[in-house]
Amino acid sequence: MTPTTSRADPSPTGPRPRLPAWTATLTWKAAVFITVMCCALAALLGALVHVSVANQTVGQARDRALGRLDEATQAYEAGARLGPLAGIDPPGLPDSLRRLAAGGDRGTMVSSRAKAPTMWAAGPIDGKRVLAVEIDYSQGARTIDGLDRAIVGSSVLAIGATLLVGAFAVTRVTRRLHATARVARRISGGDLDARVGDPRTRNPARPQDEVAAVAGALDSMATSLQRKLLSEQRFTADVAHELRTPLTGLHAAAELLPPGRPTELVRDRVAALRTLTEDLLEISRLDARSERVDLDDNWLGPLTERVVRGSGTETEVVVVRDVCVLTDRRRLERVLGNLVANAHRHGSPPVVLTVDGPVITVRDHGDGYPDYLVEGGPQRFRTEGGTKGHGLGLTIALGQAKVLGASLRFTNAEDGGALATLTLPYDDHQP
């Protein structure tokens, strides 16, 4: 039995080959569109010119051949000698033209004889015999060939020039679009002072194109957003400052109350209000970006153990690899303290704080972070399930981490539980 081999057909649902990323750019698409349109236009115009000139050239050669045929017919009927390019049933006459003339009609045809283009004209004489003349068609053929080369050459030059001009014009537009996109990304990253500043938007009386309209709208949106955020920041700071004075008085008055359960409740609520006020002040400073770091070398193992002792919680500390980082100790302790407190308040034990080089993780074994927090980060004053807390702890931790130049990510562990990962800036050459 002869062995056979089979090759599996490619699956129609398999992954499609992807084009390079640069093919998705507007410049590339515009260049392809311009090239295709120029080629189509050049082909159409070239075909029209070729057909027109070819018809004219062939028509002139046909008229000459038919004139020679009339002269040869008159000479034959007068019994005179035929010219050198005329003959009866010549051997080089095309068969289709021979049959046409033998049938009683006159006609012309271009063919090649001795590798040279020839225009034939033939007509019937004496029954089934054919009288034919030939003229040299080389000049007409060279004229058409030269015209075709000129059309191709001029089309290539025209397409190249149009492509260069079009690419230059499109590139200018795409550069402005890229600049607008960069500013939009800076604004989304928190840089509310970023502006496009397109010169076409500075004079409202000047006609504006679509890119200038987009740039102007983005600048207006950024200005309006900045004003609103600044207003909210000032309101938060003013409220916190105004609350400080009466809270100080309340705290002093609460200390003068006689011991008892009502006094404990009053003192507890006053302490909660003071903590909330201080958190609001801290957030207002973070929003205003007025915080300055006090850098120093700190070993992360002892620092995390000190944070856990200060929290008064049962938190396990695991030091996989201890390193010394250049950071602000007070701010780092603030971040870790908030993460540990949040894990105990909203999660379930055991809570584990792990140090692995410059990466510190805080994990609990509760239900995990809510979806909105994992996707968009913490939101102020938002809590889940009626749990206690004013919802500022994680917001402050994230803000202080940014001041330290660290990254703080909130995810959920695969086997359950919330996982906060703090990655500190670290140089391998540090001690």
Side-chain angles (χ1 to χ4, degrees):
M1 180 180 294
T2 303
T4 61
T5 59
S6 63
R7 182 172 59 186
D9 295 331
S11 174
T13 60
R16 297 180 178 179
R18 293 187 176 181
L19 296 174
W22 57 267
T23 59
T25 61
L26 182 61
T27 303
W28 184 84
K29 293 179 179 178
V32 172
F33 176 77
I34 293 173
T35 302
V36 172
M37 293 303 296
C38 287
C39 290
L41 182 60
L44 177 61
L45 294 178
L48 292 176
V49 173
H50 172 85
V51 171
S52 177
V53 174
N55 289 338
Q56 183 180 2
T57 304
V58 172
Q60 292 175 353
R62 181 182 296 112
D63 292 340
R64 288 171 52 204
L66 291 176
R68 295 279 183 89
L69 179 61
D70 291 338
E71 295 175 358
T73 302
Q74 294 175 2
Y76 176 78
E77 292 176 351
R81 183 179 178 182
L82 298 178
L85 299 178
I88 298 175
D89 293 328
L93 183 65
D95 293 337
S96 58
L97 184 58
R98 185 188 300 275
R99 289 193 296 271
L100 177 68
D105 296 322
R106 301 175 65 189
T108 59
M109 184 176 182
V110 177
S111 67
S112 178
R113 182 176 184 182
K115 299 183 179 181
T118 301
M119 172 65 76
W120 290 91
I125 58 168
D126 296 341
K128 294 185 178 181
R129 290 197 302 172
V130 174
L131 175 62
V133 296
E134 59 177 309
I135 62 174
D136 186 14
Y137 188 65
S138 300
Q139 182 62 36
R142 285 194 296 268
T143 300
I144 296 177
D145 291 341
L147 175 66
D148 291 341
R149 288 192 296 270
I151 291 175
V152 172
S154 59
S155 298
V156 171
L157 291 177
I159 292 172
T162 305
L163 184 60
L164 289 177
V165 173
F168 174 75
V170 173
T171 302
R172 292 188 61 186
V173 174
T174 55
R175 277 202 302 264
R176 294 167 59 198
L177 289 174
H178 285 310
T180 304
R182 285 194 299 269
V183 172
R185 285 191 290 267
R186 288 173 56 189
I187 293 174
S188 64
D191 185 6
L192 298 181
D193 294 326
R195 297 292 185 274
V196 179
D198 195 308
R200 294 168 178 79
T201 61
R202 297 174 184 173
N203 185 7
R206 180 180 179 181
Q208 298 182 7
D209 58 7
E210 288 78 3
V211 180
V214 172
L218 179 63
D219 287 347
S220 300
M221 181 197 69
T223 301
S224 176
L225 180 62
Q226 186 178 36
R227 289 174 180 172
K228 291 181 180 179
L229 289 179
L230 290 176
S231 177
E232 292 179 1
Q233 292 171 9
R234 283 195 298 268
F235 176 78
T236 302
D238 292 343
V239 169
H241 279 291
E242 293 296 328
L243 286 175
R244 261 186 164 182
T245 301
L247 282 176
T248 302
L250 281 175
H251 179 72
E255 294 297 327
L256 298 176
L257 293 175
R261 180 60 180 169
T263 300
E264 293 178 359
L265 292 176
V266 171
R267 290 176 179 175
D268 179 70
R269 292 300 88 195
V270 170
L273 283 174
R274 293 190 67 180
T275 301
L276 174 58
T277 303
E278 295 299 327
D279 287 348
L280 288 174
L281 285 173
E282 185 173 358
I283 286 179
S284 66
R285 290 193 298 268
L286 291 172
D287 289 340
R289 299 182 182 179
S290 60
E291 298 282 36
R292 297 293 181 268
V293 293
D294 184 13
L295 300 178
D296 196 6
D297 291 330
N298 295 274
W299 287 93
L300 295 182
L303 186 147
T304 53
E305 293 175 354
R306 185 165 57 251
V307 169
V308 170
R309 287 196 303 269
S311 67
T313 60
E314 295 183 0
T315 303
E316 180 183 358
V317 178
V318 178
V319 180
V320 178
R321 181 169 65 94
D322 195 7
V323 295
C324 182
V325 299
L326 184 65
T327 188
D328 189 323
R329 179 184 60 81
R330 181 182 64 84
R331 298 184 188 280
L332 180 56
E333 290 178 349
R334 176 69 161 156
V335 173
L336 296 178
N338 282 12
L339 294 178
V340 171
N342 183 82
H344 283 280
R345 183 179 296 114
H346 301 287
S348 300
V351 176
V352 183
L353 190 154
T354 305
V355 178
D356 188 1
V359 180
I360 304 175
T361 59
V362 177
R363 179 190 174 185
D364 62 56
H365 290 75
D367 296 331
Y369 291 119
D371 293 337
Y372 81 89
L373 194 148
V374 174
E375 295 174 359
Q379 300 179 12
R380 302 174 186 181
F381 297 105
R382 180 169 180 176
T383 57
E384 294 291 323
T387 56
K388 294 196 310 178
H390 44 71
L392 295 180
L394 295 183
T395 303
I396 293 175
L398 184 60
Q400 293 290 6
K402 291 181 179 178
V403 174
L404 295 174
S407 66
L408 180 58
R409 295 187 302 109
F410 300 99
T411 56
N412 291 321
E414 294 182 357
D415 53 348
L419 178 64
T421 304
L422 177 68
T423 304
L424 295 166
Y426 177 68
D427 186 358
D428 292 336
H429 299 292
Q430 291 179 255

